[in-house]
Every structure is written in structure tokens, then in C-alpha cells.
Amino acid sequence: MTPSVIELPVTEDDRRIARYTAAAIALTVAEAALPSPLPGIKPGLANIIVLVVLLRYGWRDAAWVSLLRVVAGSLVIGQLFAPGFFLALAGAVSSLAALFLAAQLPRRWFGAVTISLLAAFAHIGGQLVLARLWLVPHDGVFYLAPLFATAALIFGTINGLIAAHLIMQVETI
Amino acid sequence: MKAVLPDDLREIFSKAGYSGSWHKYLKVGDWLVLFLSCALVVLSYTLLWRGGVADRAIVKRDGQTIIEISLNSASKTRVVGPLGTTVIEVQPGRVRVFSDPGPRQYCVQQGWLTRAGAVAICAPNHITLELNGRGEASYDSLGY
């Protein structure tokens, strides 16, 4: 009996997604070291990578990077299957839905900042809904919504600007 | 670092500095979305954080108002319910249930109430304590 070799062909797409995901994971880990005034309020720097991937390679690649980032990122910082992991996942899934819709907007009028803001609001929306349904079964969680919305506004704008900057740099190289 | 980063990102990071203004990255639609987002955030504060400054405490037994206490000066008020006496303590700007004969003491553990609309319910003794403020009636409309 000859040992069978299972070969998993790696495409150029796979390599590209893996590299971007690695960059997103690095940002997740760096961000985990930052102090936060309130649990859940984070700049979400990894989303800059997701935005760049969305605008350059489309939604499918962005979804891979975003979801792989959540799973591998929480593995690295020791949060896998902790409540924070599910909150991150809920945020990622709902912001991917927003990214899908936002990517349909005419590029002529709407740039990275719009997409980033919509994703940021969807992100906190998804997290609040999950938190309300599962972690804090009380309407009190919505009391925090304005703070999260403020964070989404600020970081969504900044991340969008950074993504726009990165993309413009890439395209002029 | 070199092996990990995608080629295009590596080139960006190796480029020194940044010049120019952020303006050029914002398209017309972006400004619109940014403006609407700001409005949404302000709206979320006014909708969800509506409770204004409390100015009086209302004590009810079986839904009937028994006494209204001003929050301007410190006082202790005794209210008698089916189980015994509930003591309400007021200090300037805040109020709490100081003691209650109920078995689980939820309303006592709630501590100080400071916001208009906050409620402490001592269900076993049929007493509720709520804070009322001018908050909701203090304006006719808001403009931004």
C-alpha cells in the first residue's frame, strides 16, 4: 500500500487573502494592547485592511479576510469562543452585510469613508443586538448605544480616510 | 514583516510621510453620509439619554402617589406598607430606599437614584420610588 498524498492546491487568490489576513491579525493583536475606556470601544484598525481588500478585490475576498481575521485574531489573543469572540463575529457578519450593500453604491459619489461608516454602524448594531439577546437580556444595553455610535462615527471616519489614503497610494505607485 | 505584508501595503509603508489634506478623500456622497451619521449620533443621545436632571422624588403605594419629596434638601421619610415601614432617604439631587422590610432588598441594593425616570420598586411592600424631572417638558423642539 502506498501512502496517499493529499495535495491542496494553493491559488494566487489564497496567498493574497492569507497575506491581507495576516496584516489584519497583526493590527488586531496590536489593538488588543491598547487600553479602552469602555469594553467594546476599539478603533477597529483591522477593518482598514478589510476596506482596502473590498475596494481592490471585491466583497468575496473582504469576507474571507474579515472572518479569518476574527477567528485567527481571537485565537492569537486567547479569546476564541469567549463572549468577546461571538461579539466580534456578530460585528463582522453584520458589517460584511453592510459592506455588500455599500459596495453597490456608485463609486463616483461614494468613497471609502461612506463604506467605512456604514460598516462601523452595522458592526455596533450587530453587536448590540447579540448582546441584548444573549449577554444582557435587558434593554439597558441600549443605554450604551450612543457611546458606541459615537465611537463608530469617529473610528469609521478615520479608518475610511486611512483606507482611502492607502488605496490612492497604491494606485499611484 | 517583509514576508507577511502584501506587496502593495509594503510599498505604502515604506513610502515616507504623508502630504496633502484629507479633504481629497471625501467625495460628495461621503460628506452626505458623514453629515447624516453625525445627525444619527446626536439623535441617539437625545432619544436614549432623554432623562434630564431630576428635581423631585415620588413615592407611591399600590400605584397611588403618597408623597412627593423635593430633592433640594436632605430628609428621611417613612412610608408604611403591608409589611412594615419603608424609609426613603433624600440628599440634595439624589434619593434612595434607605431600608425596606422586603425579603430580598432589591430596592435597597439599587442604591442612589439620580436620573429623571429612574425607579426603585419595593414590590413586597407595595412601594415604588421614582424620580421626576423637568427633562421632557423643558423644550418644544430641537434644532441642529
Side-chain angles (χ1 to χ4, degrees), chain A residues 13-173:
Chain A
D13 280 8
D14 295 340
R15 290 183 210 281
R16 190 180 64 234
I17 287 171
R19 289 204 175 133
Y20 277 102
T21 305
I25 294 169
L27 287 174
T28 303
V29 174
E31 194 174 81
L34 293 175
S36 163
L38 191 73
I41 292 195
K42 287 193 276 188
L45 296 174
N47 296 321
I48 297 169
I49 305 290
V50 178
L51 275 174
V52 170
V53 173
L54 177 82
L55 289 167
R56 300 204 67 207
Y57 304 104
W59 185 79
R60 190 187 141 273
D61 283 23
W64 271 115
V65 171
S66 171
L67 295 174
L68 285 171
R69 192 279 294 180
V70 171
V71 174
S74 51
L75 198 63
V76 173
I77 59 177
Q79 284 271 320
L80 192 63
F81 302 129
F85 165 76
F86 291 103
L87 286 175
L89 193 61
V93 169
S94 44
S95 64
L96 279 173
L99 286 179
F100 181 79
L101 297 176
Q104 318 293 322
L105 290 168
R107 288 285 166 84
R108 203 178 124 91
W109 303 107
F110 297 96
V113 173
T114 294
I115 298 175
S116 177
L117 276 170
L118 294 178
F121 282 115
H123 196 275
I124 57 153
Q127 291 193 323
L128 278 174
V129 168
L130 182 73
R132 170 68 182 79
L133 292 176
W134 177 46
L135 291 174
V136 191
H138 181 270
D139 279 338
V141 283
F142 294 118
Y143 188 68
L144 294 174
L147 292 179
F148 290 130
T150 308
L153 174 68
I154 295 169
F155 296 128
T157 307
I158 294 173
N159 289 352
L161 287 171
I162 295 173
H165 179 64
L166 293 181
I167 284 169
M168 189 171 282
Q169 295 272 34
V170 169
E171 279 164 8
T172 53
I173 283 170

